[in-house]
Amino acid sequence: MSFAVPAPLEARLDELTTHYPQKRSASLMFLHALQEHFGHISDEAVEWTARKLGLTPINVHELVTFYPMFRQQPLGKTHVKVCRTLSCALAGGAEVRAHFCEKLGLDAHAHAPQTTSDGKFTVEFVECLAACGSAPVVLVNEDLHEKVTAAKADAILRTGK
Amino acid sequence: MPEQFKLILKHVDAPGYTPDIECYMRHGGYEALKLALATAPRDLPDGKKLTPKEVVREDVKASGLRGRGGAGFSAGLKWSFVDRRSGKPIYLICNADESEPGTFKDRQIIHKDPHQLIEGMIISCWANDVKLAYIYIRGEMPRGAKLLEQALAEAREKGFLGKDILGSGNDLEIYVHRGAGAYICGEETGLIESLEGKRAYPRIKPPYFPAVLGLYMCPTIVNNVETLCHVKHIVTMGAANYAKLGTPNNTGTRIVSLSGDVQRPGYYEIEVGKVTIGELINDPDFGGGLRPGRSLKAVIPGGSSSKVLKAGEVFKLNRKGADGQMTKVDVPLLDLPYDFDSLQQAGTMSGSSAIIVLDDSRSMVDTLANLSEFYAHESCGQCTPCREGALWLAKGLHRLSHGEGRKEDAAYLSHIAQNIQGRTICAFGEAASWPVLSFVKKFRDEFEAKGAADEEARAKATGPAHGTRTAASSNQH
């Protein structure tokens, strides 16, 4: 089995578990950490988390399928989340997403997350990112980009962040 | 002249102000905590004596502070419902799952002044005998989560957290917990389920009021980020002085998130009720008006879930006259004071204090279609009317906004929305329905005209028979 959680990460997760009176509470934080490390949540990650927290795998799997941020397949190295909701839409969010798709050769009409064939970029429409005053906004991995124009989008594609 | 009043945002965006504890303490940070811990017991006229903790709890009640997350419920009353006799631990959760479309105020506090939140939390925890608290921050704010963790570590280092805080004999730990992209986690019982490591299915009330049966079935306080910050200022200013800010029953300050079709979108802190919607939109110190050549069409006044207000609407508001008598007064939309009660009387709500402005270039059909897609995506799926209905609304509106509408769609959409509201475990049912009901009611002509135009276009393209058939078949979703 190729699935192995490095010791420092496991130690960090063990410490996290102590934050809660009931271990199950640590589930979401486990999944965030595992997804950050492995790029997605595999079945092995679900089983590992369940074992660590004294749960059955379905208790963890149902979180992965419920919470939109968790993904079961690997996505691009740079994950571009374009806000779809009203304030961003009024400020041209759909055009920003179309621009990303066009530049990356992706289908601007498809709604689901799309990844370039080289695995470098994923473009996804997401719901309100709580930065409506500087719409349209885009979350690139952990960085929020505000008032995104075509030029700013191109810069994101050049640097990958 | 309407003015901003910066209480919570006093240091936010000030040149050189950084989110670390040293900077916070240079600006008087954690003095309110020391003040709170030194609170003297209070003798009441009836001979009863309040403990220091009770004094702070009473002061929060007396300050008139109302929750800044959405419901606008008295924070002091919420605290007073906590079951303190159960013998179980009491938990406090800061709701930092800011996700109501249009709202971006808590983001400013979290990223630019995290210690203000933490100080407010420590005081609130002390006053409520809480020894373990969490900050539930939405997953899409990874930087904010790290900043808060850093800030908590700094506070621990200084002895503001941990064992025996500042020698007071009180212990407290606060941890950051990240959500993962589900809007429903902003609903407090959904949030609690999520913090327990489950799907965020809201709990039914009664019996699951968090104040009695909250986190791990223990008494739990859930307060919004901004609400908890205000507690710090109530301690510093005193309840009576704090209550002088704002207007009666709508005390204090509030951060308004302004977005959409204005020249100066942004976050503006005001004394509650001292600034009108018109001033927020048009004043050069606030929204700066619409773009040149545009006129106002509608205002979504309190986050996307609030009922829309139409340009030119006039509302009947209760006003106390000089003789103390309540009379009904006509107040046009732009003169509505931005506060909890005025907006409620106008048939909507100030909600999360997020205003989205729509000008005359906007299609109300497309706007509502955008919002309904949000609710269809975010329904947790627990209650059938909401799970199915939110999706029907989104599908119907998608059709109407993509040239496949029907004349009867306006009635159809209202019918579905009416069958969702009031039939769900949590208020999401209302959140999904209210925009639809209000948009269709107030802009009915536009919805019907769009449906009729679509029918006509289809009839022209393929003959009337096909048009009728499409209408019938699309009724089956």
Side-chain angles (χ1 to χ4, degrees), chain B residues 232-421:
Chain B
K232 168 195 157 152
H233 297 283
I234 292 166
V235 167
T236 307
M237 298 171 67
N241 279 330
Y242 179 91
K244 284 181 196 150
L245 293 175
T247 49
N249 205 39
N250 298 268
T251 60
T253 66
R254 215 174 168 190
I255 308 170
V256 180
S257 309
L258 183 64
S259 68
D261 296 325
V262 287
Q263 302 220 42
R264 283 164 40 90
Y267 42 93
Y268 301 100
E269 188 172 3
I270 60 167
E271 281 189 71
V272 185
K274 290 276 179 77
V275 181
T276 66
I277 286 191
E279 288 164 343
L280 281 165
I281 294 173
N282 291 319
D283 194 272
D285 286 338
F286 292 98
L290 306 183
R291 292 185 191 92
R294 289 287 160 214
S295 60
L296 184 69
K297 185 168 189 179
V299 178
I300 300 172
S304 66
S305 310
S306 61
K307 290 184 175 171
V308 71
L309 302 175
K310 187 178 182 177
E313 267 192 278
V314 178
F315 306 97
K316 293 242 180 265
L317 259 59
N318 292 320
R319 283 276 166 83
K320 205 182 235 174
D323 55 358
Q325 291 291 315
M326 290 299 247
T327 47
K328 292 269 184 199
V329 183
D330 283 338
V331 180
L333 168 63
L334 294 182
D335 294 340
L336 266 183
Y338 197 73
D339 62 44
F340 297 97
D341 294 340
S342 299
L343 268 79
Q344 195 181 359
Q345 288 181 45
T348 181
M349 61 176 178
S350 60
S352 59
S353 69
I355 299 177
I356 305 175
V357 179
L358 298 165
D359 72 25
D360 60 342
S361 70
R362 303 300 180 182
S363 148
M364 295 313 275
V365 173
D366 292 348
T367 301
L368 185 60
N370 179 287
L371 290 181
S372 289
E373 197 172 328
F374 172 82
Y375 292 104
H377 183 263
E378 298 297 344
S379 173
C380 81
Q382 188 177 207
C383 310
T384 309
C386 172
R387 179 184 66 237
E388 302 300 317
L391 207 65
W392 287 5
L393 290 171
K395 280 182 178 174
L397 280 155
H398 182 86
R399 239 175 25 213
L400 190 58
S401 63
H402 283 76
E404 294 163 43
R406 306 165 306 167
K407 264 182 285 197
E408 64 266 36
D409 277 344
Y412 170 73
L413 293 166
S414 298
H415 177 71
I416 298 170
Q418 272 155 4
N419 281 291
I420 303 173
Q421 64 165 357

Side-chain angles (χ1 to χ4, degrees), chain B residues 21 30 114-115 118 121-122 133-135 145-158 160-162 173-177:
Chain B
I21 198 164
Y30 289 103
H115 281 286
I118 293 168
M121 278 185 82
I122 298 172
Y134 296 95
I135 303 174
K146 282 179 187 160
L147 264 168
L148 284 171
E149 268 168 4
Q150 170 70 27
L152 288 169
E154 289 170 347
R156 218 165 274 140
E157 178 97 353
K158 297 267 184 202
F160 300 136
L161 282 173
E173 269 310 333
I174 303 178
Y175 296 112
V176 174
H177 184 94

Side-chain angles (χ1 to χ4, degrees), chain B residues 186-205:
Chain B
E187 200 277 345
E188 58 182 11
T189 60
L191 184 153
I192 287 170
E193 285 282 307
S194 180
L195 187 46
E196 289 185 0
K198 301 168 191 162
R199 287 184 164 200
Y201 290 150
R203 296 174 178 171
I204 195 153
K205 292 160 277 184

Side-chain angles (χ1 to χ4, degrees), chain B residues 70 75 163-164 253 349 425:
Chain B
K163 294 269 173 218
D164 192 20
T253 66
M349 61 176 178
I425 286 173

